[in-house]
Amino acid sequence: MNNEYLARAKEQISDAKTLIILASKRARALAYGARPMVRCKEENFLDVALLEIAEGLLQVTYEDGPGDDLLKELEAAKAAAAPVVKPQE
């Protein structure tokens, strides 16, 4: 992994977890045949993805907001764990 590309990508996306997810998803897409958006001297898909992020070609968007899914998952887990009480006849 090219540390220069990583440092430049961190300037674009400061949250480490978000950067990791975006770079890994883009690297996977490149591995499956997606065309690179930049010319890169490195052949490593992760380096190409980091350079694309550093150049500002990939952006992160949140559809519902970053925390909404987690809250929905917690509520669903609580509902699933709640005991089912059947009324006696």
Side-chain angles (χ1 to χ4, degrees), residues 2 8 13 16-18 25 29 32 36 42 47-48 51 54 58 64 68-71 75-76 78-79 81:
N2 189 317
R8 288 178 53 200
I13 301 174
K17 290 180 184 179
T18 303
K25 285 186 177 186
Y32 282 119
E42 306 292 334
D47 287 338
V48 175
L51 183 58
L58 293 176
D64 292 331
D68 291 346
D69 292 334
L70 179 61
L71 293 176
E75 289 174 9
K78 285 180 185 177

Side-chain angles (χ1 to χ4, degrees), residues 58-77:
L58 293 176
Q59 300 292 324
V60 178
T61 58
Y62 297 102
E63 292 181 17
D64 292 331
D68 291 346
D69 292 334
L70 179 61
L71 293 176
K72 289 177 185 175
E73 288 179 25
L74 287 173
E75 289 174 9

Side-chain angles (χ1 to χ4, degrees), residues 14-49:
S14 58
D15 183 46
K17 290 180 184 179
T18 303
L19 179 60
I20 290 167
I21 292 169
L22 181 62
S24 64
K25 285 186 177 186
R26 180 60 180 157
R28 182 180 304 130
L30 291 166
Y32 282 119
R35 301 182 94 195
M37 295 186 282
V38 294
R39 291 182 186 243
C40 184
K41 61 185 175 185
E42 306 292 334
E43 293 183 16
N44 185 343
F45 296 123
L46 183 57
D47 287 338
V48 175

